Amino acid sequence: LSADVNAPIVQYVARPQILDLGWGHPTPATLPTDAWAQAVQVTLSTYGWQAMTYGRSVGPGPLIDWLAEHIGTVDSQPCRTSEIFVTAGASHALALVGQLLVQPGDVVLVDAPTYHLAFRIMRDAGAELVSVPTDDQGVDPGAAEALICHLRRTGRRVSMLYLVPTFGNPTGRSLPAERRSSLVEVCARADVTIVEDDPYREIGFDGPAPGSLWCHSERSGIVRLGSFSKTVAPGLRLGWINASAGLITKLATLGYVDSGGGVNHTSALTMATFGASGAYGRHTDMIRRQYRLQRDSLVAALRTTVPDVPIAVPAGGWFIWMELPGGLTAAELLPVAEQTGVSFVEGPRFFCDRAGGSHHIRMSYSMLPPADLTEAARRLGVAIESRG
Ligand SMILES: Cc1ncc(COP(=O)(O)O)c(C=O)c1O
């Protein structure tokens, strides 16, 4: 290869002295380069030029058909083909939903804590973000309803509520079943669209994931964002939106779809081949085992190196959310930890107003192999000890 080896290619920035638990990226060695190459070949020989021209607005039929059937196997209800729109991942899906549903100046309610990089996507649409009341189990539906009423009384338009209710980022927690139903009821009554960001559903370690809010609902007033970033590869930039057929039509008739065709068509069609051939199932079985091993390594190591801290073991996803001992703040610990050769993301970043989480850190076990996770936990223990 004559490529310039120094040309920047990926988002990840290596810091050689630091075991960085901050990145929510996949383990590089698990990315299915060979199986994907095979799927590309099969796709090109099966579909020829159709694989490389402008795609159908909602996404290619073979992927929509496979997804509809597949979603029925990983969630509590089947999904209709008319309820799917293919996107360039969950981030793009959120940007599109924001474009359609948010007017500048609207309030969008967000879980606290929740996925920090979603904040800017919604602010890009002109939203003002407000944290919804939560407790140890996640969003409190009754308090959310009271907040919506209060905001409306003060003249605000409240258009959406955003959350990651299944194996969430950053907590790893899932919203309990009774809260799923009551949140869906509250938001239906209040006419607030729930945006359910659901990229970790298929990375469960202890049996099936809880049924989605989407499946708890009448399929209107709720939008679910799906992604292949965690299950296959983020570089594909591929995901989907589940929404009512009416909203799917609005997405499919956006000007840029009219102009550019279905999103990411060649990758989308290749994903259909990857799914139908069984490669997707084999791959997700393998990564579930791998991420489970990595979760277990980090949990076991933390229990030794920070024995006084209770560690909530995530039943799925990529993250551990840990409260620091002895009143230590994440901001105090971070520079010391980095000097000791380990890093993490500080808790306040996961609150839209940065008003919570100062004693919490998020650690991701998705990227590093077990031996590195064990060493990272040792370094973290040393850093915490030195501040104790
Ligand atoms: C909750 C959540 N939503 C969305 C994303 C980004 O998804 P995508 O790569 O499909 O845009 C992530 C990635 O970390 C995430 O954790």
Side-chain angles (χ1 to χ4, degrees), residues 124-144:
D124 284 350
E128 182 190 326
L129 305 185
V130 174
S131 289
V132 79
T134 59
D135 60 21
D136 282 355
Q137 298 192 301
V139 173
D140 174 342

Side-chain angles (χ1 to χ4, degrees), residues 250-265:
K250 282 190 188 155
L251 289 159
T253 48
L254 283 172
Y256 100 102
V257 179
D258 195 21
S259 168
V263 177
N264 224 340
H265 172 64

Side-chain angles (χ1 to χ4, degrees), residues 24-25 87-94 114-118 121 162-164 167-170 197-200 225-230 233-235 237-239 318-319 362:
H25 285 194
T87 68
S91 309
H92 177 229
L94 184 56
T114 196
Y115 175 50
H116 57 318
L117 302 181
I121 301 176
Y162 169 87
L163 77 170
V164 190
F167 311 140
N169 182 357
D197 194 357
D198 201 17
Y200 298 104
L225 317 182
S227 176
F228 291 108
S229 285
K230 316 297 169 181
R237 305 308 296 131
L238 200 63
W318 281 3
F319 306 104
R362 187 198 76 174

Side-chain angles (χ1 to χ4, degrees), residues 29-185:
T30 63
L31 293 170
T33 48
D34 292 344
W36 190 260
Q38 252 177 28
V40 169
Q41 245 175 18
V42 172
T43 303
L44 292 176
S45 57
T46 307
Y47 299 105
W49 64 271
Q50 293 190 79
M52 298 193 74
T53 190
Y54 288 107
R56 172 183 175 230
S57 60
V58 288
L63 180 61
I64 303 259
D65 290 345
W66 178 78
L67 254 181
E69 196 184 321
H70 176 69
I71 288 169
T73 68
V74 297
D75 205 342
S76 55
Q77 280 187 33
C79 163
R80 289 184 277 269
T81 52
S82 58
E83 297 170 324
I84 300 172
F85 177 84
V86 173
T87 68
S91 309
H92 177 229
L94 184 56
L96 289 178
V97 169
Q99 181 186 341
L100 286 183
L101 300 185
V102 175
Q103 294 175 9
D106 279 5
V107 170
V108 168
L109 300 176
V110 294
D111 199 354
T114 196
Y115 175 50
H116 57 318
L117 302 181
F119 297 153
R120 207 144 63 85
I121 301 176
M122 292 181 277
R123 286 184 176 130
D124 284 350
E128 182 190 326
L129 305 185
V130 174
S131 289
V132 79
T134 59
D135 60 21
D136 282 355
Q137 298 192 301
V139 173
D140 174 342
E145 186 164 35
L147 177 61
I148 294 166
C149 291
H150 167 74
L151 287 162
R152 294 235 167 105
R153 273 198 304 274
T154 61
R156 304 302 303 268
R157 224 182 85 99
V158 183
S159 42
M160 306 196 312
L161 186 158
Y162 169 87
L163 77 170
V164 190
T166 303
F167 311 140
N169 182 357
T171 64
R173 274 193 309 246
S174 295
L175 195 67
E178 51 306 342
R179 290 206 182 184
R180 288 175 186 249
S181 311
S182 50
L183 191 63
V184 166
E185 281 167 26

